[in-house]
Amino acid sequence: MKARKIKFSKSIGDVVSEKNRIVDMESRLQAIVVEATGHLSSYPDRRNCLLCGSDVALAEQFLHRKIKFLHCHNCGHVQTQCEPDGQYEEIVASALGYKEIYPDSSWEDFQSRTERVYQPKLEWIIEGLGARATKAELANLSWLDIGCGAGYFLNALIKNGFWNCAGTDLDVHNLAVAEKYLDGGQVFQSETSVADTIKNAASDVITAFYVLEHVSDMKDVIDALSRKEQGTIFVFAVPVFSFISIFEGLVEKHYPRSLDAMVHTQIFTDESIDYMMEKSGFEIVSEWIFGQDIADIHRFIDVGLNSNYPQSLRDQFSQKFAKLVDPLQMVLDGALFSDSRHIIAIKK
């Protein structure tokens, strides 16, 4: 077994516009979280962990922003005590209004987001697999991006000569954006579960960026991954229970991006990621550890200052704190205490 490569940190600068959008929508998002999570109590309690299937009677319980969560004693996965169904997903989708959260963009904005956010992901994948395949060899493989959204990662693939690629997504608005701007590749509306999509995929490389935390049948996903052919590459990103997950529980008047019980009724831990990989027969070969924990704290403070301090002092504080975001985040990343993981794994 080769040692996995680990890359730490990146600058927050590549997602400043997306971070600012959350700031602009802070009050609305917080109100939506309160409204949506108010429906959770109407659902029955879980009997089994959604990742490993263990009886949750032995799970640790904790209260996060008035919502009860469970920390599985067997696999380490974190999930709400109540078990929402598809109806809850419809409530959340209706309340959010995805067209506002993910608005259509100009050609320039589409290319900008590709270059800022998704080109670095592809470069990391190429680097992480460098000991096993050249860029040209990777470009000849077939790629499937599950939860492709508006097609930004597909666009990065195509711009780098990875023509054998396709994507699936549930949201018709996102797919319309992808079809509008992609010059090559194909996108399809998902007609099956993520587990069935993985099981039926004939692709050499399967990617899923921030998808698995929305999947309720994770045991089926593990089973589907376990059936993939040896050498299949699985690249994914998931949020993890981290510094900001705990911190945001102490500031309930702000929007909790990490563990909100609205779109994140479950969240991974390093332990539950390892469990998923071990049970599905995949070996992690590369990992990229970074987060936005400190940027969220910056947001919390900025919003809080608005009601008590004059604009000049708010601007002065914000400018000084902005210089600390990347250095402080690097400390959390290096301590494995940041809010997301990017993983490259290969079927053994």
Side-chain angles (χ1 to χ4, degrees):
M1 179 183 297
K2 297 181 180 179
R4 72 176 72 170
K5 295 182 179 180
I6 301 181
K7 177 180 179 179
F8 292 101
S9 303
K10 72 174 184 63
S11 173
I12 193 66
D14 59 0
V15 291
V16 165
S17 60
E18 288 78 7
K19 181 175 72 72
N20 289 341
R21 185 182 303 147
I22 293 179
V23 172
D24 293 339
M25 298 178 65
E26 169 81 23
S27 297
R28 177 177 176 271
L29 287 170
Q30 171 63 356
I32 292 172
V33 169
V34 173
E35 176 189 354
T37 55
H39 294 273
L40 270 175
S41 61
S42 65
Y43 292 94
D45 287 350
R46 299 182 191 276
R47 299 180 63 182
N48 303 98
C49 172
L50 65 83
L51 185 71
C52 71
S54 296
D55 188 338
V56 296
L58 297 177
E60 295 177 310
Q61 299 183 17
F62 64 93
L63 199 63
H64 181 81
R65 299 174 71 97
K66 300 183 176 65
I67 303 296
K68 293 180 180 179
F69 279 84
L70 304 172
H71 178 220
C72 181
H73 68 288
N74 182 53
C75 69
H77 205 56
V78 172
Q79 57 219 275
T80 54
Q81 179 172 296
C82 293
E83 185 172 18
D85 57 16
Q87 184 184 34
Y88 185 67
E89 296 174 7
E90 292 175 7
I91 291 172
V92 171
S94 176
L96 275 174
Y98 283 109
K99 287 187 179 181
E100 185 173 350
I101 301 295
Y102 302 107
D104 196 356
S105 61
S106 67
W107 168 256
E108 291 76 17
D109 289 342
F110 182 80
Q111 298 300 336
S112 172
R113 182 164 171 76
T114 297
E115 291 297 324
R116 289 182 290 110
V117 181
Y118 289 89
Q119 177 66 24
K121 294 184 192 298
L122 179 56
E123 291 173 357
W124 162 70
I125 294 170
I126 293 170
E127 178 185 356
L129 293 170
R132 294 167 173 80
T134 65
K135 179 179 178 180
E137 289 170 334
L138 292 173
N140 284 328
L141 300 179
S142 56
W143 294 64
L144 175 65
D145 188 24
I146 300 175
C148 67
Y152 298 108
F153 183 66
L154 292 174
N155 191 38
L157 287 171
I158 293 165
K159 289 167 70 71
N160 284 270
F162 291 58
W163 293 101
N164 190 2
C165 60
T168 66
D169 200 88
L170 286 171
D171 188 72
V172 294
H173 167 69
N174 280 333
L175 291 173
V177 175
E179 291 174 345
K180 180 179 179 181
Y181 292 131
L182 284 181
D183 183 20
Q186 295 178 301
V187 293
F188 306 93
Q189 185 172 14
S190 301
E191 296 182 350
T192 61
S193 67
V194 170
D196 284 341
T197 300
I198 292 173
K199 182 172 65 175
N200 297 328
S203 306
D204 302 305
V205 186
I206 300 172
T207 60
F209 298 111
Y210 299 109
V211 171
L212 300 180
E213 66 272 19
H214 304 294
V215 177
S216 59
D217 56 344
M218 280 303 301
K219 295 190 300 300
D220 292 339
V221 169
I222 291 174
D223 180 68
L225 287 169
S226 71
R227 297 173 185 270
K228 303 312 295 181
E229 293 185 4
Q230 183 180 12
T232 298
I233 300 169
F234 183 43
V235 183
F236 64 97
V238 291
V240 295
F241 192 75
S242 65
F243 176 83
I244 196 60
S245 307
I246 296 172
F247 190 92
E248 68 189 12
L250 307 177
V251 286
E252 295 190 11
K253 66 178 181 179
H254 297 297
Y255 167 62
R257 182 187 56 84
S258 173
L259 189 56
D260 60 9
M262 180 175 65
V263 294
H264 289 166
T265 57
Q266 63 171 309
I267 196 168
F268 284 79
T269 64
D270 288 319
E271 183 183 359
S272 65
I273 291 172
D274 287 341
Y275 175 91
M276 178 175 66
M277 292 292 91
E278 179 182 353
K279 291 298 181 181
S280 60
F282 275 76
E283 177 188 357
I284 297 175
V285 298
S286 187
E287 190 170 0
W288 190 3
I289 300 173
F290 63 87
Q292 297 183 42
D293 309 74
I294 304 301
D296 276 338
I297 291 177
H298 189 192
R299 169 170 60 90
F300 295 159
I301 296 174
D302 266 355
V303 172
L305 290 177
N306 283 340
S307 59
N308 299 307
Y309 292 87
Q311 185 69 46
S312 60
L313 289 178
R314 297 202 307 265
D315 290 345
Q316 186 180 87
F317 170 84
S318 187
Q319 290 168 8
K320 289 183 177 180
F321 196 96
K323 297 176 182 178
L324 298 175
V325 171
D326 283 346
L328 291 176
Q329 187 63 54
M330 288 178 66
V331 174
L332 291 181
D333 296 341
L336 308 182
F337 206 16
S338 54
D339 68 11
S340 69
R341 300 287 185 271
H342 282 60
I343 304 288
I344 303 173
I346 299 178
K347 186 68 186 333
K348 294 184 285 188

